Amino acid sequence: MTSPTRFDGIFTALVTPFTAAGAIDWAALDRLVVQQIEAGIAGLVPVGTTGEAATLSEAEQLAVISHVVNRADGAAYVMAGAGTNDTARTLDTTRRATEAGVDGVLLITPYYNRPSQEGLVAHFTAVATTTRADVMLYSVPARTGVTIAAETAAELSRSCGNIVAIKEAGGDPGRVTTLRAACGPDFAVHCGDDGLALPFYALGACGLTSVLSNLRPRDVVRLHQAWRSGDHETALALHDHLAPLAAAMFLEPSPGPVKHALAIEGLIEDKLRLPMMPVSAAADRHLRSLMGQATGQ
């Protein structure tokens, strides 16, 4: 089994920058990747939910994945979002991502059709057995209507040697304890919610897959490092400082707020694809206020 230490730290759920005309903005993507690596980010997650994978064509998804792999050039772990609600399509997406050179794939629970736990085992097993890449399961019931039970994760980790981690985004820190008890200490648990990172770390999560780190990578990394080094006072101070901005990333449907914030700082165009919409004037005012307070911290 792959050592969970490769999942230690912050993985950024990368936005996909678009030009004003709606095409992928490769120069802006390069800037983001470089900024992330320079800030000490451990991993990059292209074409996930934050990357608007649902509105990218299959060709665009593969192009973004390949671009991030090449641009990172081994300086960060690259885990591509590869999950869909169709097992056959997920197999194909995972195969293409593996051929592009990713280190791992992030596999969401099938949405809309909402399979049983037995269906989840069959789905994830079918995918994991056809790739050499690491597999991180992704449990986010608010988006998919399905939770990966701890016993299901344990069964999968026992039967598939490359299913080595889970991104837990159900909003309950207590799940860390349940997952660790079921899956053992070598199974990596990632927090999937910036605002809950600190309690997740305290309960044994090894890292965070972050939206906020698109915007504030150094501070998000510093919080994790402070906790791991035993400087809990600094970790708590950073948590308190970042909490309002972390919450603001979901004031309106994501990735609208984080893309707007990145546009305020001149890093990308404030462009999304329908049905996602730009943030409201009220959200703009709130974000600008918080970012002004955060400047220089």
Side-chain angles (χ1 to χ4, degrees), residues 144-197:
T144 68
V146 180
T147 298
I148 300 174
E151 295 76 15
T152 298
E155 180 179 346
L156 287 163
S157 68
R158 287 193 299 266
S159 61
C160 300
N162 59 334
I163 297 181
V164 291
I166 187 169
K167 177 184 175 183
E168 173 53 42
D172 178 13
R175 279 266 292 175
V176 180
T177 300
T178 305
L179 285 162
R180 292 179 68 243
C183 302
D186 290 336
F187 189 77
V189 178
H190 254 225
C191 179
D193 185 332
D194 281 285
L196 294 176

Tab-separated table of all heavy atoms in Angstrom, residues 144-197:
chain	number	residue	atom	x	y	z
A	144	THR	N	-24.083	14.620	-3.858
A	144	THR	CA	-24.380	13.369	-4.563
A	144	THR	C	-25.536	12.577	-3.963
A	144	THR	O	-26.057	11.679	-4.618
A	144	THR	CB	-23.146	12.440	-4.567
A	144	THR	OG1	-22.891	11.981	-3.228
A	144	THR	CG2	-21.926	13.161	-5.107
A	145	GLY	N	-25.904	12.857	-2.719
A	145	GLY	CA	-26.955	12.103	-2.061
A	145	GLY	C	-26.515	10.769	-1.513
A	145	GLY	O	-27.330	9.987	-1.016
A	146	VAL	N	-25.218	10.467	-1.575
A	146	VAL	CA	-24.694	9.177	-1.118
A	146	VAL	C	-23.474	9.399	-0.236
A	146	VAL	O	-22.561	10.144	-0.614
A	146	VAL	CB	-24.292	8.279	-2.310
A	146	VAL	CG1	-23.760	6.936	-1.820
A	146	VAL	CG2	-25.467	8.061	-3.245
A	147	THR	N	-23.452	8.748	0.917
A	147	THR	CA	-22.286	8.749	1.806
A	147	THR	C	-21.552	7.422	1.673
A	147	THR	O	-22.186	6.361	1.620
A	147	THR	CB	-22.724	8.936	3.271
A	147	THR	OG1	-23.377	10.194	3.418
A	147	THR	CG2	-21.524	8.884	4.220
A	148	ILE	N	-20.232	7.480	1.627
A	148	ILE	CA	-19.443	6.243	1.660
A	148	ILE	C	-19.354	5.798	3.110
A	148	ILE	O	-18.707	6.454	3.940
A	148	ILE	CB	-18.040	6.453	1.080
A	148	ILE	CG1	-18.120	6.919	-0.375
A	148	ILE	CG2	-17.225	5.152	1.175
A	148	ILE	CD1	-16.768	7.281	-0.974
A	149	ALA	N	-20.011	4.709	3.447
A	149	ALA	CA	-19.959	4.201	4.817
A	149	ALA	C	-18.530	3.813	5.169
A	149	ALA	O	-17.748	3.389	4.314
A	149	ALA	CB	-20.879	2.993	4.960
A	150	ALA	N	-18.183	3.967	6.442
A	150	ALA	CA	-16.827	3.621	6.885
A	150	ALA	C	-16.514	2.159	6.576
A	150	ALA	O	-15.389	1.829	6.165
A	150	ALA	CB	-16.683	3.903	8.379
A	151	GLU	N	-17.491	1.282	6.747
A	151	GLU	CA	-17.276	-0.137	6.472
A	151	GLU	C	-17.040	-0.379	4.978
A	151	GLU	O	-16.282	-1.274	4.597
A	151	GLU	CB	-18.485	-0.950	6.949
A	151	GLU	CG	-18.717	-0.930	8.452
A	151	GLU	CD	-19.332	0.374	8.946
A	151	GLU	OE1	-19.839	1.166	8.103
A	151	GLU	OE2	-19.293	0.617	10.162
A	152	THR	N	-17.676	0.431	4.139
A	152	THR	CA	-17.458	0.324	2.692
A	152	THR	C	-16.047	0.754	2.330
A	152	THR	O	-15.362	0.088	1.539
A	152	THR	CB	-18.484	1.196	1.945
A	152	THR	OG1	-19.800	0.714	2.234
A	152	THR	CG2	-18.252	1.164	0.438
A	153	ALA	N	-15.605	1.873	2.906
A	153	ALA	CA	-14.228	2.318	2.675
A	153	ALA	C	-13.236	1.261	3.139
A	153	ALA	O	-12.222	0.999	2.468
A	153	ALA	CB	-13.980	3.643	3.381
A	154	ALA	N	-13.513	0.644	4.280
A	154	ALA	CA	-12.612	-0.384	4.807
A	154	ALA	C	-12.561	-1.594	3.885
A	154	ALA	O	-11.482	-2.142	3.609
A	154	ALA	CB	-13.067	-0.798	6.201
A	155	GLU	N	-13.720	-2.016	3.396
A	155	GLU	CA	-13.758	-3.158	2.479
A	155	GLU	C	-12.969	-2.861	1.215
A	155	GLU	O	-12.194	-3.711	0.726
A	155	GLU	CB	-15.207	-3.491	2.136
A	155	GLU	CG	-15.362	-4.663	1.181
A	155	GLU	CD	-16.814	-4.992	0.867
A	155	GLU	OE1	-17.712	-4.506	1.579
A	155	GLU	OE2	-17.046	-5.745	-0.109
A	156	LEU	N	-13.133	-1.657	0.685
A	156	LEU	CA	-12.423	-1.275	-0.531
A	156	LEU	C	-10.921	-1.199	-0.304
A	156	LEU	O	-10.129	-1.633	-1.149
A	156	LEU	CB	-12.950	0.064	-1.040
A	156	LEU	CG	-14.340	0.018	-1.682
A	156	LEU	CD1	-14.946	1.407	-1.785
A	156	LEU	CD2	-14.260	-0.638	-3.062
A	157	SER	N	-10.499	-0.658	0.828
A	157	SER	CA	-9.057	-0.535	1.097
A	157	SER	C	-8.413	-1.901	1.293
A	157	SER	O	-7.243	-2.094	0.961
A	157	SER	CB	-8.817	0.355	2.317
A	157	SER	OG	-9.268	-0.268	3.510
A	158	ARG	N	-9.185	-2.853	1.811
A	158	ARG	CA	-8.648	-4.207	1.989
A	158	ARG	C	-8.549	-4.952	0.669
A	158	ARG	O	-7.589	-5.694	0.442
A	158	ARG	CB	-9.530	-5.001	2.962
A	158	ARG	CG	-9.426	-4.594	4.416
A	158	ARG	CD	-10.094	-5.630	5.316
A	158	ARG	NE	-11.520	-5.784	5.023
A	158	ARG	CZ	-12.495	-5.128	5.648
A	158	ARG	NH1	-12.192	-4.242	6.600
A	158	ARG	NH2	-13.760	-5.339	5.331
A	159	SER	N	-9.523	-4.757	-0.205
A	159	SER	CA	-9.574	-5.561	-1.432
A	159	SER	C	-8.802	-4.941	-2.598
A	159	SER	O	-8.411	-5.655	-3.529
A	159	SER	CB	-11.031	-5.781	-1.847
A	159	SER	OG	-11.676	-4.553	-2.119
A	160	CYS	N	-8.600	-3.613	-2.550
A	160	CYS	CA	-7.888	-2.916	-3.632
A	160	CYS	C	-6.705	-2.165	-3.035
A	160	CYS	O	-6.895	-1.162	-2.328
A	160	CYS	CB	-8.814	-1.944	-4.354
A	160	CYS	SG	-10.256	-2.722	-5.116
A	161	GLY	N	-5.512	-2.622	-3.326
A	161	GLY	CA	-4.328	-2.049	-2.708
A	161	GLY	C	-4.071	-0.602	-3.037
A	161	GLY	O	-3.342	0.083	-2.322
A	162	ASN	N	-4.656	-0.107	-4.129
A	162	ASN	CA	-4.412	1.281	-4.507
A	162	ASN	C	-5.513	2.233	-4.041
A	162	ASN	O	-5.435	3.438	-4.294
A	162	ASN	CB	-4.188	1.422	-6.012
A	162	ASN	CG	-5.365	0.941	-6.841
A	162	ASN	OD1	-6.146	0.096	-6.401
A	162	ASN	ND2	-5.484	1.456	-8.056
A	163	ILE	N	-6.543	1.722	-3.368
A	163	ILE	CA	-7.522	2.603	-2.724
A	163	ILE	C	-6.973	2.926	-1.344
A	163	ILE	O	-7.052	2.126	-0.413
A	163	ILE	CB	-8.918	1.965	-2.651
A	163	ILE	CG1	-9.463	1.731	-4.060
A	163	ILE	CG2	-9.881	2.851	-1.851
A	163	ILE	CD1	-10.861	1.131	-4.112
A	164	VAL	N	-6.371	4.100	-1.237
A	164	VAL	CA	-5.530	4.398	-0.081
A	164	VAL	C	-5.957	5.634	0.705
A	164	VAL	O	-5.313	5.998	1.688
A	164	VAL	CB	-4.059	4.581	-0.525
A	164	VAL	CG1	-3.471	3.257	-0.982
A	164	VAL	CG2	-3.946	5.631	-1.626
A	165	ALA	N	-7.037	6.303	0.279
A	165	ALA	CA	-7.384	7.560	0.939
A	165	ALA	C	-8.841	7.905	0.677
A	165	ALA	O	-9.481	7.348	-0.219
A	165	ALA	CB	-6.482	8.690	0.423
A	166	ILE	N	-9.349	8.837	1.466
A	166	ILE	CA	-10.693	9.345	1.268
A	166	ILE	C	-10.715	10.843	1.531
A	166	ILE	O	-10.054	11.328	2.454
A	166	ILE	CB	-11.716	8.627	2.170
A	166	ILE	CG1	-13.160	9.044	1.821
A	166	ILE	CG2	-11.424	8.880	3.649
A	166	ILE	CD1	-14.226	8.171	2.481
A	167	LYS	N	-11.421	11.564	0.692
A	167	LYS	CA	-11.721	12.968	0.941
A	167	LYS	C	-13.101	13.003	1.579
A	167	LYS	O	-14.102	12.666	0.943
A	167	LYS	CB	-11.706	13.771	-0.359
A	167	LYS	CG	-12.094	15.236	-0.185
A	167	LYS	CD	-12.155	15.966	-1.524
A	167	LYS	CE	-12.670	17.391	-1.361
A	167	LYS	NZ	-12.813	18.096	-2.666
A	168	GLU	N	-13.141	13.401	2.834
A	168	GLU	CA	-14.368	13.385	3.605
A	168	GLU	C	-14.956	14.788	3.646
A	168	GLU	O	-14.378	15.694	4.250
A	168	GLU	CB	-14.090	12.871	5.029
A	168	GLU	CG	-15.247	12.955	5.989
A	168	GLU	CD	-16.520	12.303	5.463
A	168	GLU	OE1	-16.435	11.207	4.863
A	168	GLU	OE2	-17.591	12.908	5.645
A	169	ALA	N	-16.098	14.970	2.990
A	169	ALA	CA	-16.707	16.289	2.873
A	169	ALA	C	-18.167	16.268	3.297
A	169	ALA	O	-19.014	16.928	2.698
A	169	ALA	CB	-16.572	16.808	1.449
A	170	GLY	N	-18.439	15.519	4.361
A	170	GLY	CA	-19.800	15.443	4.859
A	170	GLY	C	-20.106	16.411	5.976
A	170	GLY	O	-21.226	16.431	6.491
A	171	GLY	N	-19.103	17.212	6.389
A	171	GLY	CA	-19.338	18.219	7.405
A	171	GLY	C	-19.291	17.718	8.833
A	171	GLY	O	-19.637	18.469	9.763
A	172	ASP	N	-18.844	16.492	9.055
A	172	ASP	CA	-18.833	15.905	10.401
A	172	ASP	C	-17.424	15.455	10.775
A	172	ASP	O	-16.963	14.413	10.306
A	172	ASP	CB	-19.786	14.712	10.446
A	172	ASP	CG	-19.794	14.001	11.796
A	172	ASP	OD1	-19.248	14.566	12.765
A	172	ASP	OD2	-20.347	12.881	11.864
A	173	PRO	N	-16.720	16.206	11.632
A	173	PRO	CA	-15.370	15.788	12.038
A	173	PRO	C	-15.334	14.411	12.682
A	173	PRO	O	-14.323	13.710	12.599
A	173	PRO	CB	-14.950	16.879	13.030
A	173	PRO	CG	-15.748	18.077	12.649
A	173	PRO	CD	-17.079	17.526	12.195
A	174	GLY	N	-16.444	13.999	13.295
A	174	GLY	CA	-16.473	12.689	13.922
A	174	GLY	C	-16.259	11.545	12.950
A	174	GLY	O	-15.868	10.442	13.362
A	175	ARG	N	-16.480	11.792	11.683
A	175	ARG	CA	-16.249	10.756	10.673
A	175	ARG	C	-14.787	10.356	10.597
A	175	ARG	O	-14.462	9.231	10.203
A	175	ARG	CB	-16.716	11.256	9.308
A	175	ARG	CG	-18.207	11.133	9.078
A	175	ARG	CD	-18.570	9.842	8.379
A	175	ARG	NE	-18.086	9.819	6.999
A	175	ARG	CZ	-18.188	8.762	6.194
A	175	ARG	NH1	-18.732	7.639	6.621
A	175	ARG	NH2	-17.723	8.822	4.951
A	176	VAL	N	-13.886	11.267	10.970
A	176	VAL	CA	-12.463	10.922	10.947
A	176	VAL	C	-12.201	9.740	11.873
A	176	VAL	O	-11.525	8.769	11.510
A	176	VAL	CB	-11.584	12.120	11.359
A	176	VAL	CG1	-10.108	11.726	11.320
A	176	VAL	CG2	-11.837	13.309	10.460
A	177	THR	N	-12.746	9.802	13.070
A	177	THR	CA	-12.565	8.724	14.043
A	177	THR	C	-13.172	7.428	13.525
A	177	THR	O	-12.555	6.351	13.615
A	177	THR	CB	-13.212	9.114	15.373
A	177	THR	OG1	-12.595	10.310	15.864
A	177	THR	CG2	-13.048	8.005	16.411
A	178	THR	N	-14.372	7.515	12.979
A	178	THR	CA	-15.048	6.325	12.465
A	178	THR	C	-14.267	5.699	11.316
A	178	THR	O	-14.099	4.473	11.256
A	178	THR	CB	-16.462	6.693	11.982
A	178	THR	OG1	-17.165	7.340	13.036
A	178	THR	CG2	-17.238	5.464	11.548
A	179	LEU	N	-13.776	6.528	10.408
A	179	LEU	CA	-13.015	6.022	9.267
A	179	LEU	C	-11.681	5.411	9.701
A	179	LEU	O	-11.282	4.357	9.202
A	179	LEU	CB	-12.779	7.152	8.267
A	179	LEU	CG	-13.995	7.546	7.431
A	179	LEU	CD1	-13.800	8.923	6.808
A	179	LEU	CD2	-14.262	6.505	6.341
A	180	ARG	N	-11.001	6.070	10.630
A	180	ARG	CA	-9.713	5.540	11.091
A	180	ARG	C	-9.892	4.217	11.827
A	180	ARG	O	-9.079	3.301	11.691
A	180	ARG	CB	-9.008	6.564	11.968
A	180	ARG	CG	-8.559	7.805	11.197
A	180	ARG	CD	-7.884	8.838	12.088
A	180	ARG	NE	-6.596	8.364	12.573
A	180	ARG	CZ	-6.306	8.167	13.848
A	180	ARG	NH1	-7.205	8.393	14.783
A	180	ARG	NH2	-5.108	7.737	14.196
A	181	ALA	N	-10.964	4.112	12.603
A	181	ALA	CA	-11.226	2.862	13.320
A	181	ALA	C	-11.522	1.728	12.345
A	181	ALA	O	-11.080	0.587	12.543
A	181	ALA	CB	-12.392	3.052	14.285
A	182	ALA	N	-12.263	2.033	11.285
A	182	ALA	CA	-12.643	1.000	10.324
A	182	ALA	C	-11.511	0.642	9.361
A	182	ALA	O	-11.317	-0.532	9.033
A	182	ALA	CB	-13.865	1.461	9.524
A	183	CYS	N	-10.767	1.657	8.929
A	183	CYS	CA	-9.793	1.469	7.847
A	183	CYS	C	-8.357	1.320	8.318
A	183	CYS	O	-7.489	0.914	7.535
A	183	CYS	CB	-9.874	2.647	6.870
A	183	CYS	SG	-11.502	2.864	6.139
A	184	GLY	N	-8.077	1.682	9.553
A	184	GLY	CA	-6.729	1.557	10.077
A	184	GLY	C	-5.897	2.808	9.865
A	184	GLY	O	-6.263	3.697	9.078
A	185	PRO	N	-4.773	2.905	10.553
A	185	PRO	CA	-3.965	4.129	10.544
A	185	PRO	C	-3.268	4.420	9.229
A	185	PRO	O	-2.838	5.555	8.994
A	185	PRO	CB	-2.947	3.881	11.668
A	185	PRO	CG	-2.828	2.388	11.738
A	185	PRO	CD	-4.199	1.868	11.440
A	186	ASP	N	-3.130	3.435	8.360
A	186	ASP	CA	-2.432	3.654	7.100
A	186	ASP	C	-3.342	4.176	5.989
A	186	ASP	O	-2.867	4.454	4.887
A	186	ASP	CB	-1.760	2.359	6.626
A	186	ASP	CG	-0.591	1.966	7.505
A	186	ASP	OD1	-0.027	2.862	8.163
A	186	ASP	OD2	-0.263	0.770	7.544
A	187	PHE	N	-4.626	4.305	6.273
A	187	PHE	CA	-5.579	4.832	5.303
A	187	PHE	C	-5.697	6.333	5.530
A	187	PHE	O	-6.032	6.792	6.617
A	187	PHE	CB	-6.933	4.155	5.487
A	187	PHE	CG	-7.936	4.458	4.405
A	187	PHE	CD1	-7.845	3.841	3.166
A	187	PHE	CD2	-8.976	5.345	4.628
A	187	PHE	CE1	-8.773	4.094	2.168
A	187	PHE	CE2	-9.909	5.610	3.643
A	187	PHE	CZ	-9.811	4.985	2.404
A	188	ALA	N	-5.365	7.122	4.500
A	188	ALA	CA	-5.291	8.573	4.654
A	188	ALA	C	-6.675	9.197	4.600
A	188	ALA	O	-7.467	8.896	3.704
A	188	ALA	CB	-4.410	9.172	3.556
A	189	VAL	N	-6.941	10.095	5.549
A	189	VAL	CA	-8.196	10.846	5.568
A	189	VAL	C	-7.879	12.308	5.287
A	189	VAL	O	-7.070	12.926	5.986
A	189	VAL	CB	-8.927	10.713	6.912
A	189	VAL	CG1	-10.210	11.544	6.903
A	189	VAL	CG2	-9.233	9.253	7.219
A	190	HIS	N	-8.511	12.857	4.252
A	190	HIS	CA	-8.384	14.268	3.917
A	190	HIS	C	-9.670	14.984	4.287
A	190	HIS	O	-10.767	14.491	4.013
A	190	HIS	CB	-8.145	14.458	2.412
A	190	HIS	CG	-6.755	14.840	2.072
A	190	HIS	ND1	-6.451	15.841	1.168
A	190	HIS	CD2	-5.569	14.371	2.517
A	190	HIS	CE1	-5.129	15.946	1.057
A	190	HIS	NE2	-4.576	15.067	1.864
A	191	CYS	N	-9.533	16.151	4.879
A	191	CYS	CA	-10.671	17.014	5.111
A	191	CYS	C	-11.097	17.625	3.781
A	191	CYS	O	-10.247	18.026	2.981
A	191	CYS	CB	-10.306	18.117	6.105
A	191	CYS	SG	-11.641	19.279	6.443
A	192	GLY	N	-12.405	17.721	3.558
A	192	GLY	CA	-12.899	18.323	2.325
A	192	GLY	C	-13.587	19.647	2.539
A	192	GLY	O	-14.310	20.109	1.663
A	193	ASP	N	-13.341	20.274	3.690
A	193	ASP	CA	-14.017	21.527	4.043
A	193	ASP	C	-13.027	22.415	4.770
A	193	ASP	O	-12.602	22.100	5.880
A	193	ASP	CB	-15.222	21.219	4.934
A	193	ASP	CG	-16.068	22.435	5.261
A	193	ASP	OD1	-15.517	23.546	5.288
A	193	ASP	OD2	-17.276	22.270	5.511
A	194	ASP	N	-12.657	23.551	4.149
A	194	ASP	CA	-11.648	24.435	4.748
A	194	ASP	C	-11.981	24.833	6.180
A	194	ASP	O	-11.096	24.888	7.034
A	194	ASP	CB	-11.503	25.705	3.893
A	194	ASP	CG	-10.647	25.484	2.660
A	194	ASP	OD1	-9.423	25.396	2.800
A	194	ASP	OD2	-11.214	25.394	1.560
A	195	GLY	N	-13.232	25.105	6.451
A	195	GLY	CA	-13.609	25.573	7.769
A	195	GLY	C	-13.476	24.537	8.857
A	195	GLY	O	-13.455	24.885	10.050
A	196	LEU	N	-13.376	23.260	8.489
A	196	LEU	CA	-13.262	22.174	9.466
A	196	LEU	C	-11.864	21.566	9.509
A	196	LEU	O	-11.655	20.549	10.173
A	196	LEU	CB	-14.285	21.079	9.142
A	196	LEU	CG	-15.755	21.462	9.288
A	196	LEU	CD1	-16.643	20.307	8.845
A	196	LEU	CD2	-16.075	21.858	10.729
A	197	ALA	N	-10.913	22.171	8.831
A	197	ALA	CA	-9.579	21.578	8.741
A	197	ALA	C	-8.960	21.332	10.114
A	197	ALA	O	-8.436	20.249	10.384
A	197	ALA	CB	-8.667	22.465	7.903
